[in-house]
Amino acid sequence: MARLNAAAHPREAIKENLYVPRPGATVADFLVRRLELEPSSSHLIVGGVGSGKTTQLLMGQKQLQTVPDVHACFIDVSERHDLAKLRSSVLLVLAGLTLGEMFPEPVSQAIKLARENFRKWAHGYVEWFDVRDAGDEEPPDHDDDDRFMRPVHVQGVLVPPEPALRADIQAKARQLAVLREGLEKSIKHVVVLFDSLDRLTDLKSFAEVVDQDIRAIKSAGLGVVVVGPLRTLFGPGRTIADRFDYLYHQSSVDVEQDTAGEEFLGRILRKRVEADLLPDEALHRVVQFSGGVLRDLISLARSAGEEAYTAGIDRVGVTHVESAADAFGRSLMLGLGPDEITVLQRVRTQRSFVQTSDKDIALLVTRRVLEYTNGIPRYAVHPTIAPLLEQLATKP
Amino acid sequence: MTLLPNLLSLPEFVFRVTARPSKGSVFVLVSPADLIDRVSGRLRSELEGEVGVQLVGGAHDAGALISAIQKAEGTRIVIACGIESFGDTDWQRIDLLRSRLSRDGAIIFVVSPASVEALTRYAPNLASWVGGSMWIVDIASELLTPEERESRLNALREGFQRSDTEILRLAAEGSLPKEPEYVEWLILLKRPDLIGNT
């Protein structure tokens, strides 16, 4: 049961050889194939909470390390920066700091300077200005008739479809290019993988970093992969997703209509728990209740084990799984308002789901509604809340 | 009808916490707001006999809570309480910084019904770590003396101008209002089986 830790970093599961690839090509496979062909392309991975995005990012990194001349750097942005204060430059500076650490000593003067610049941009610095210069206006020119003239800028009507990179971003991108070129002798291509940006609820700050940082990193000749918010799939968010060269949706695994999906989740659990402790029948129920959400699969199996242990039984039974699913569903139902319940009831009974509001999208992000994208896309409520919704429907 | 986490006595909760390999575990225990300090204190004293435990109470905002939890590195279990003043933005911030809560030990959040709703709504990434490890503490079974229990019941009877019989009847019919006080009322009457009907 110690291997059933829903809060463990996926890095640990991969290290312990607990990773099981999805049937067919995975997001990691696509990433590697495309980055091999286009080393400085940009990629966005989205998906619901606990769907395995970080795992795919890490597997992508692992596979890229086996490609000659490629180095992939994994950066968990939330570990190095307060995501509530995300703004343009942050990803660029994190990329610069990471690349700067990749040089063996001694380094050239240009590399030294680039590394120093990124440290300054990351941690701040003091600059001295001559106060007499501040606020001084340019003296007016006078023309041939001795009239005093001032320049007035009249804006052109054409607006470039892609706004120019800001001057400060361009400066950072140039320094990033210096670092990349410095590495070129030993590593031809560098790819940076940014994790944790999927937690952002403020699409404005995400749009800002995509608009400036991602383009700047690409312009410096690096490949870039970002785990971003699921909201970028819908409404105005879609224009942000479109800025990337490639988009991947890590959806839930279909355990209801796809036998391969069900077997895949079964294999994940079997790698972590022996049949003596979690017999096949109970395992099958855990898989069904998980709805194909990887973290929920682990969490439910662990809770079912605890239910059995608490009852003094050393083997998980179907009733223990059902108790665990009931507790899980109750947690998922917390905080929902009447309008959200109405939407969930419609998804449960009619399998229809149209994302018209932020609240609807939140139901997907928080996996109360699950989307399956194998074949024709379909929606379902999380299997642990389906019986609770049914109870609600039959009571006043 | 209100759907709430299941009821669990404090000793049962302690048993579950100590039984689980603690690395990275996050639990939530829901208590009436005015009993949070007492529940947290009891929890600490019951856990202290088993494992290293530290109470992190009264953080003024999300940042302060996270750094207090980080400072408790090396302590197997951290009990986070006294965070009832946290608003939506605090929970959102905790969610954004969830990676910083990743630790070798466990975290137990002791919160009110209102706060647990905010947690699930505004911190979905943290909630996914919690999963089903969320319970309402059974205050009637352990925490309150018979006199305290009677006193709280009296306060509820007077506050809502209703009798115990009426509450039990409404709960059985499934028409009890959804306020947390009614849930507490059923717990105090030792009828948690009717909570699912409220």
Side-chain angles (χ1 to χ4, degrees):
Chain A
M1 283 291 171
R3 287 172 165 176
L4 296 173
N5 182 359
H9 197 285
R11 193 186 290 124
E12 290 170 33
I14 293 170
K15 205 167 131 192
E16 289 175 37
N17 202 26
L18 297 175
Y19 175 72
V20 177
R22 274 188 185 219
T26 62
V27 168
D29 296 333
F30 281 116
L31 277 176
V32 175
R33 283 178 209 159
R34 285 172 176 159
L35 280 161
E36 273 187 272
L37 294 171
E38 301 168 68
S40 57
S41 49
S42 60
H43 305 251
L44 173 66
I45 307 173
V46 298
V49 172
S51 59
K53 301 178 293 294
T54 300
T55 304
Q56 288 306 306
L57 200 62
L58 287 164
M59 285 311 295
Q61 182 194 25
K62 197 175 172 186
Q63 291 178 38
L64 282 168
Q65 306 294 37
T66 65
V67 178
D69 300 330
V70 176
H71 183 87
C73 317
F74 178 90
I75 301 172
D76 185 340
V77 182
S78 75
E79 280 178 0
R80 302 184 63 180
H81 181 74
D82 182 346
L83 283 179
K85 292 171 184 160
L86 186 72
R87 61 186 180 92
S88 56
S89 286
V90 169
L91 300 192
L92 195 48
V93 168
L94 285 173
L97 289 173
T98 307
L99 257 68
E101 287 162 8
M102 288 166 60
F103 289 88
E105 296 293 339
V107 293
S108 70
Q109 199 54 38
I111 302 298
K112 247 186 208 168
L113 182 67
R115 284 207 300 208
E116 186 50 38
N117 278 333
F118 278 110
R119 278 192 211 113
K120 276 164 58 181
W121 288 323
H123 308 297
Y125 55 98
V126 176
E127 216 168 48
W128 294 91
F129 288 97
D130 188 334
V131 288
R132 287 167 301 181
D133 293 342
D136 278 359
E137 283 184 5
E138 208 178 308
D141 287 337
H142 51 87
D143 64 7
D144 298 341
D145 302 330
D146 249 7
R147 288 177 304 176
F148 285 105
M149 306 291 282
R150 278 186 194 284
V152 176
H153 182 69
V154 181
Q155 237 174 4
V157 289
L158 292 182
V159 178
E162 205 164 57
L165 287 177
R166 288 192 334 238
D168 62 308
I169 296 283
Q170 285 181 33
K172 292 179 181 89
R174 278 195 295 274
Q175 292 296 281
L176 191 64
V178 167
L179 293 175
R180 188 196 58 77
E181 284 157 16
L183 284 167
E184 219 164 27
K185 276 183 201 158
S186 51
I187 305 160
K188 204 165 175 198
H189 303 297
V190 179
V191 179
V192 273
L193 313 164
F194 291 108
D195 195 18
S196 293
L197 299 178
D198 54 325
R199 293 179 214 157
L200 294 170
T201 46
D202 175 18
L203 279 188
K204 208 175 146 199
S205 61
F206 185 64
E208 200 185 318
V209 294
V210 172
D211 183 47
Q212 295 291 317
D213 294 37
I214 301 301
R215 281 167 59 209
I217 292 169
K218 264 189 77 172
S219 75
L222 280 79
V224 58
V225 186
V226 176
V227 170
L230 185 66
R231 286 170 201 275
T232 54
L233 285 187
F234 309 102
R238 190 72 208 194
T239 55
I240 307 171
D242 289 344
R243 307 295 293 265
F244 288 84
D245 298 323
Y246 297 100
L247 168 68
Y248 310 87
H249 181 193
Q250 174 83 348
S251 65
S252 310
V253 180
D254 195 339
V255 290
E256 200 183 309
Q257 296 183 5
D258 181 7
T259 326
E262 195 184 342
E263 281 169 5
F264 160 57
L265 293 199
R267 283 201 308 278
I268 292 178
L269 279 186
R270 212 25 104 225
K271 267 213 160 192
R272 296 169 187 246
V273 201
E274 301 78 22
D276 284 354
L277 194 57
L278 183 71
D280 284 345
E281 197 187 357
L283 177 140
H284 174 73
R285 290 298 286 149
V286 174
V287 168
Q288 292 298 323
F289 275 124
S290 75
V293 181
L294 302 178
R295 188 176 296 139
D296 296 351
L297 176 84
I298 306 294
S299 182
L300 280 162
R302 183 194 57 201
S303 296
E306 285 172 4
E307 290 295 329
Y309 181 75
T310 311
I313 298 165
D314 56 8
R315 177 182 274 244
V316 178
V318 170
T319 50
H320 304 126
V321 178
E322 279 165 0
S323 297
D326 176 70
F328 193 97
R330 286 171 181 275
S331 303
L332 267 187
M333 291 290 287
L334 275 175
L336 293 173
D339 46 347
E340 290 156 316
I341 300 279
T342 305
V343 172
L344 290 172
Q345 293 290 19
R346 194 168 53 241
V347 178
R348 182 179 68 87
T349 54
Q350 300 166 22
R351 303 260 163 163
S352 89
F353 182 64
V354 184
Q355 311 86 4
T356 52
S357 68
D358 265 5
K359 276 188 175 179
D360 293 336
I361 298 167
L363 291 175
L364 271 178
V365 174
T366 56
R367 78 238 184 267
R368 276 113 170 186
V369 173
L370 302 174
E371 183 182 6
Y372 301 103
T373 53
N374 53 317
I376 301 164
R378 67 178 186 89
Y379 297 96
V381 294
H382 196 288
T384 60
I385 64 171
L388 300 169
L389 286 166
E390 206 175 326
Q391 281 179 46
L392 279 179
T394 55
K395 292 206 171 176
Chain B
M1 181 182 175
T2 309
L3 290 162
L4 293 160
N6 291 314
L7 200 70
L8 201 65
S9 72
L10 210 53
E12 283 176 291
F13 180 74
V14 169
F15 180 70
R16 282 177 185 258
V17 171
T18 50
R20 186 186 295 183
S22 61
K23 192 176 165 84
S25 296
V26 184
F27 301 86
V28 173
L29 192 59
V30 185
S31 155
D34 61 326
L35 289 178
I36 284 174
D37 285 349
R38 195 195 292 196
V39 170
S40 307
R42 273 288 296 277
L43 195 53
R44 177 170 64 174
S45 61
E46 296 219 8
L47 283 166
E48 253 168 1
E50 308 276 341
V51 291
V53 57
Q54 186 173 331
L55 202 78
V56 170
H60 60 274
D61 65 15
L65 177 72
I66 288 167
S67 44
I69 291 174
Q70 283 182 318
K71 275 183 197 153
E73 200 185 345
T75 309
R76 186 173 152 196
I77 295 173
V78 169
I79 302 170
C81 58
I83 48 178
E84 292 311 302
S85 62
F86 278 20
D88 310 348
T89 47
D90 284 304
W91 287 110
Q92 279 168 347
R93 195 167 153 78
I94 288 174
D95 207 44
L96 285 174
L97 302 176
R98 185 193 65 173
S99 309
R100 297 188 191 183
L101 292 178
S102 181
R103 61 194 308 275
D104 283 340
I107 303 172
I108 302 168
F109 286 94
V110 183
V111 292
S112 70
S115 289
V116 79
E117 288 215 4
L119 185 158
T120 50
R121 180 174 282 273
Y122 299 107
N125 290 284
L126 176 65
S128 84
W129 277 4
V130 178
S133 303
M134 190 182 280
W135 293 275
I136 297 179
V137 63
D138 181 359
I139 50 170
S141 66
E142 288 282 329
L143 278 159
L144 302 177
T145 63
E147 294 75 30
E148 284 174 321
R149 180 174 154 258
E150 196 47 41
S151 157
R152 287 181 82 86
L153 276 169
N154 272 332
L156 288 167
R157 288 171 196 135
E158 280 168 26
F160 288 89
Q161 288 294 301
R162 280 178 158 159
S163 69
D164 296 347
T165 320
E166 195 182 355
I167 293 302
L168 290 172
R169 181 179 55 79
L170 289 170
E173 288 170 0
S175 51
L176 198 64
K178 59 180 284 184
E179 279 82 0
E181 287 83 357
Y182 288 106
V183 174
E184 184 186 333
W185 204 325
L186 291 173
I187 294 170
L188 291 168
L189 290 174
K190 302 196 174 180
R191 289 301 307 272
D193 54 305
L194 292 175
I195 289 175
N197 285 355
T198 59

